[in-house]
Structure formats: C-alpha cells, structure tokens
Amino acid sequence: MELFDARVKGRGLRASRELSTGEVLLAEPGYAAVVYSSLASQVCHSCFRRQANLHRCAQCRFAHYCNRTCQTAGWDEHKQECAAIRKLGAAPNENVRLAGRLLWRRNRDQGLASDSQLLAVDQLQDHLRDLPGEQLQALQADVQTFLRFWSCGSKQHPADFISHVFGLIKSNGLTLPDQRGLQMVGLGLFPNLSLVNHDCWPNCTATLNHGNQSAVSSTLHSPLRMELRALGRICQGEELTISYVDALNLSADRQKQLKERFHFDCSCDHCSRHVGDDLMAAAAEAKPSADAVKEVSAFSKETLEKVEEARRDGDHSQVLKLCQECLEKQQDVLADTHLYKLKVLSVLAEVLTYHRKFSEAAGYARKMVEGYMKLYHPNNAQLGLALMRSGVTHWHAGQVEVGHKMICEAYRIMMVTHGPNHSITRDLESIRSQTEVELKALQENVLDLKNLPVTSSSSAQENTKDFLRQQ
Ligand SMILES: [Zn+2]
Ligand SMILES: [Zn+2]
Ligand SMILES: [Zn+2]
C-alpha cells in the first residue's frame, strides 16, 4: 500500500503489490475516539462494546468501562479529559471531547507521528470553506465550548487552529458501530484510513474490530482497530477505495449526499454510467403505465415518511398497517428491486421479527435479500448482515434449510469483510453449527417436529436471543 497523488481527488492510496480477497491492508488503532454523549453509560469508553453493568469512573462519573482492564487501558486517553470534565462540571458533546482527545494526544506525541502514520493528523483537510452558514455557526459554538473545556494549564492554541481541528473532525471523523454492528455508538479519527478515497462500487471495505481485552492471558490481547479489507482481488497499482455512502441509493442521491457531507462531486464509474439506477427505480414486469409508477412512487415516499414517524413514536401496529397497505399498492407496479419496495420489506421483516412473528417475517425477509443480492456487491457487508438477520428469522420460523443457506452465505461474506476474529463472525459460526445440526437431523428424519426437546441454553442460543432483542 502506498500514498499517491490521485489528481482531482487529492491524495489517495494504491496497492503496491497484488492483493487477495479478504486481505487486511491496514489495521489502524484510532488516533482519538469518543463514545457519543447520549450513550456514555451504555458503551465502554475504551473498547466501545455496548453492554449492561459497566463500571463508572469514580472521579468524573461520566466515563464507563467493562472492567478494570478496559479502564486501565483507557486511562492515558481519559486522564486529562477526566480532569476537564470535573472542572467544567459536565461533559461537553462528542465533537468537543474528540477535539480534546486529539489535542492531548498531539501534545503527548509532541507532534511526532509514529512510523506507521502516513500523515500527521492536523494535515487532514477541514473543508471549512465548503460549510454552509448554519453548520459553520454550530462549529463555532463548539469551538467556544472547547475553549472553556480545555483546561487553563494546557498549551493554548489560536482559535483558527481550533476551528481547523473541528473542521477536520467533521470531514474525517468516522462513526463507530457496537460489537454487533447494530448501532453507531461513537466517533473516531483514523488518519491513514482517511486517505482512502470514495467509490460507489469500491474494492475495499473498512470494518471496526473491537479487539480482545477480556482474554485471560494478556498475550491474547488485541486493541480496538479499524481494518481496511480487500473485497476482491486487487492488481498492483490499482487505487484502493471504500464507499462513504450506502450503495442502495440512486446515483443522483448518492452524489447529493457525498456533496453535502464530503464536499466533492462523485464521478466514479457507477455514477457516470448510472449503474443500477434502472433496477432501483424499475417498474414491475406487468408493464404498468408510467403514470401508475409515478403515482405509486410518490405514495410510497409519503408512506415511508409516516412509517419513520410511527417508528419514532414506537407505534408498531401503525408501522405494520402502513407498510402492508403500501406493499399492496406496489404490487404489479414496482419491481422487486425498487428501492421503495425493498425499504418496506425491510421494515416489515424487522418489526415482525421483533414481535416474534417469524413465519410472516421470513416471507418479507426473503424477498428483501433476493432484491439486495441483485443490487449489492457480492461481498458487501450490509448484504452479509441482512442475510444473517434473515437467516436467523427463517431458522426461527422452522425453515431450517433456507435459513441455513442464508447463514452460510452471510458467513462467507463476513469472512471477507470482518474476518474470523470479529464477534459477528463468531456469532455466525455458532449459529451456523446449530442450523447445520438441525438440518442434518431433519434430513435424517430423526427429529420429531411436534416434540421438539427443550435444549439447554447454549451460548449460541443466548447470542441469538440477544441479537433479536437488539434489533
Ligand atoms: Zn471495554
Ligand atoms: Zn473520569
Ligand atoms: Zn459514485
């Protein structure tokens, strides 16, 4: 892997030799990372795992940790933050805390980047000039809070340097998921990874590995790190890319998101040729009139907004009613790969699974993953996660064979995007061994379905239950 000048895209990284599928090209511990303030007591401030019964820092009463190991490991990062929180009387928002951690770290390192760092952190771009007025105002408000947070004894920085730091956090900060990939729980800076440019059909993916802190032997410990993994074979000299946005958007919508959030015009091959747009906005095979397609699309868009509202209110029966009505209208008008149809199917599968109506949920989930498989890159992590959820739903619905197939396919993808040591891959492995056993038993006709024995709760079953609860 080497740094090179990617012309209009600025700096970039490219392969310095041929790379194979699933290869880890970069494993970068965060330069600085923080848990979202709203989740401060639910997520470990050292390893970013979300779990119950965390221990609180006795001094600031803000930071929380899994155990002493995590607290000790996180103390260097937290020490000055801890004092600043006590002095301010309350913890400021995550942007302010991340800026603090970045500058404390920079002071500790005395500006010297380690050998493995390709670029000093303050050389990242801040895009301040591209920010619209109200975002710039919010940023300036954070700068003011920061100046109060930054303790008096510390080295002082000019205000425009602090603005630069907030700008680079805004443009380069990566959101960090919990260990199951279900929820974003924090924000971090990974300067090397920030050099990887975007492509809507990328050849790499970036995955957070939470590391291993609880192992009995310290020789098995590994730190939290962001991994850059190859999605397929990559030739020497080829630029390495990841996608900053979900592939399941029309090219015009992806370009709009990228412009607003990252301030560039995407001219990747998929955008220039509008690849996938035809499928994602396709009409059903029954060849409905253009007017009908337009009408149902508008209706779906409106309904999906109402669905979001009902979900925020926790009104699940309203969500189900809206989605089922919408799906009926879409029938024979929108294709199975139409984005609005896939969105409705995904909500139905998720809500019904949550209410343990597995058979009903499985029908929707299956249609959803069939659509996803036509649109996503075959090694896309989102596709893997969707297959995993859908596989578990089918398994619980008693459709063991279909479920097992999906779990196997999810496992294949996760081995590429997450690797064998990630907790999601390990969850999948234990689920897969269970579906495999059940499938074998079914095929050998030794399982009397009416008299399913009550098995003791193995760790895999616990995982599955957790997994469903957290959806
Ligand atoms: Zn921890
Ligand atoms: Zn503290
Ligand atoms: Zn693009």
Side-chain angles (χ1 to χ4, degrees):
M1 206 179 56
E2 61 193 8
L3 199 59
F4 80 114
D5 178 10
R7 291 192 294 276
V8 285
K9 292 196 277 187
R11 293 169 289 233
L13 288 183
R14 66 183 170 198
S16 54
R17 61 170 172 81
E18 192 179 305
L19 304 166
S20 53
T21 310
E23 201 172 330
V24 181
L25 315 179
L26 180 75
E28 187 180 23
Y31 184 85
V34 290
V35 170
Y36 286 149
S37 295
S38 58
L39 296 171
S41 61
Q42 295 161 51
V43 175
C44 174
H45 287 227
S46 181
C47 72
F48 290 77
R49 282 184 174 79
R50 189 180 54 172
Q51 43 198 350
N53 304 322
L54 294 175
H55 298 271
R56 190 170 67 172
C57 171
Q59 297 186 46
C60 65
R61 296 161 175 261
F62 174 74
H64 285 70
Y65 301 95
C66 302
N67 48 38
R68 295 288 295 187
T69 312
C70 279
Q71 185 164 17
T72 309
W75 181 241
D76 270 354
E77 304 291 319
H78 178 56
K79 190 165 60 183
Q80 284 148 311
E81 174 191 72
C82 187
I85 290 172
R86 277 179 285 150
K87 191 164 153 276
L88 196 67
N93 72 33
E94 48 268 6
N95 294 329
V96 174
R97 283 186 291 116
L98 185 57
R101 284 190 169 211
L102 184 153
L103 289 170
W104 281 310
R105 165 95 191 250
R106 193 168 162 276
N107 285 356
R108 277 203 304 279
D109 297 353
Q110 306 206 305
L112 290 175
S114 70
D115 292 348
S116 58
Q117 209 175 312
L118 299 167
L119 188 76
V121 67
D122 46 321
Q123 284 174 351
L124 291 170
Q125 296 192 352
D126 62 26
H127 289 289
L128 284 177
R129 262 178 288 171
D130 300 317
L131 289 185
E134 78 268 23
Q135 285 188 32
L136 205 56
Q137 267 175 17
L139 188 140
Q140 291 308 337
D142 278 348
V143 171
Q144 291 310 313
T145 312
F146 177 83
L147 293 172
R148 278 183 282 127
F149 180 59
W150 188 249
S151 56
C152 301
S154 303
K155 183 180 184 304
Q156 295 304 305
H157 298 283
D160 57 348
F161 178 71
I162 303 299
S163 301
H164 165 66
V165 167
F166 276 92
L168 75 84
I169 286 175
K170 199 167 171 53
S171 324
N172 297 280
L174 295 178
T175 52
L176 309 177
D178 67 10
Q179 70 274 26
R180 295 234 158 80
L182 296 173
Q183 187 187 7
M184 290 302 168
V185 297
L187 191 63
L189 272 176
F190 300 81
N192 288 347
L193 203 65
S194 294
L195 295 168
V196 182
N197 287 318
H198 164 86
D199 194 295
C200 293
W201 195 258
N203 55 15
C204 293
T205 188
T207 305
L208 185 70
N209 189 310
H210 293 73
N212 186 354
Q213 289 81 16
S214 56
V216 184
S217 157
S218 62
T219 54
L220 296 175
H221 280 199
S222 59
L224 177 95
R225 62 203 182 265
M226 197 63 102
E227 292 178 345
L228 182 68
R229 292 172 161 271
L231 289 179
R233 207 172 61 88
I234 299 174
C235 303
Q236 183 179 357
E238 203 178 313
E239 180 174 12
L240 306 177
T241 54
I242 55 175
S243 179
Y244 300 172
V245 292
D246 188 0
L248 250 52
N249 281 292
L250 296 176
S251 54
D253 292 333
R254 291 196 308 267
Q255 285 175 316
K256 191 162 162 257
Q257 286 176 31
L258 290 163
K259 183 75 180 171
E260 280 172 10
R261 174 81 180 76
F262 301 100
H263 317 290
F264 68 89
D265 299 297
C266 189
S267 56
C268 79
D269 180 53
H270 270 233
C271 281
S272 332
R273 295 192 295 122
H274 308 289
V275 177
D277 284 7
D278 51 346
L279 286 173
M280 291 189 274
E285 274 174 28
K287 296 225 162 49
S289 70
D291 280 349
V293 174
K294 215 170 153 189
E295 191 199 314
V296 172
S297 298
F299 176 82
S300 303
K301 187 165 182 250
E302 224 170 85
T303 306
L304 284 167
E305 280 162 16
K306 287 184 202 158
V307 167
E308 272 318 302
E309 215 171 284
R311 287 185 87 178
R312 272 197 298 274
D313 299 341
D315 188 350
H316 284 181
S317 58
Q318 175 71 355
V319 170
L320 290 177
K321 187 170 156 270
L322 285 166
C323 285
Q324 271 150 351
E325 270 172 22
C326 191
L327 198 61
E328 217 161 281
K329 283 221 175 202
Q330 291 172 342
Q331 195 75 36
D332 298 328
V333 181
L334 305 186
D336 289 342
T337 51
H338 195 290
L339 290 181
Y340 289 153
K341 200 170 199 174
L342 290 173
K343 182 70 200 164
V344 171
L345 289 169
S346 123
V347 174
L348 280 168
E350 190 184 327
V351 173
L352 288 165
T353 298
Y354 178 83
H355 288 287
R356 310 190 74 80
K357 293 185 175 161
F358 297 118
S359 297
E360 237 182 300
Y364 297 125
R366 188 166 180 174
K367 279 194 151 176
M368 176 192 77
V369 292
E370 279 169 2
Y372 282 3
M373 286 168 90
K374 290 181 187 142
L375 298 173
Y376 273 125
H377 183 288
N379 287 339
N380 182 292
Q382 294 306 317
L383 174 62
L385 289 169
L387 277 162
M388 175 178 182
R389 284 193 287 268
S390 177
V392 170
T393 299
H394 278 81
W395 175 35
H396 283 274
Q399 300 180 41
V400 185
E401 191 168 355
V402 182
H404 180 67
K405 253 193 189 152
M406 287 180 180
I407 297 287
C408 288
E409 182 60 6
Y411 181 75
R412 184 196 64 74
I413 296 174
M414 288 299 157
M415 283 295 279
V416 175
T417 59
H418 287 59
N421 296 320
H422 197 284
S423 50
I424 298 179
T425 318
R426 279 194 257 125
D427 278 357
L428 261 172
E429 204 169 5
S430 65
I431 295 170
R432 190 187 60 165
S433 62
Q434 285 192 78
T435 51
E436 197 162 24
V437 168
E438 280 187 30
L439 189 61
K440 252 199 193 132
L442 276 174
Q443 284 164 345
E444 287 163 10
N445 278 329
V446 292
L447 196 69
D448 181 353
L449 278 172
K450 283 171 197 145
N451 286 313
L452 262 180
V454 182
T455 50
S456 63
S457 73
S458 70
S459 78
Q461 276 173 327
E462 283 303 309
N463 282 343
T464 316
K465 278 184 214 145
D466 265 3
F467 176 74
L468 290 170
R469 211 177 295 132
Q470 285 167 5
Q471 276 199 332

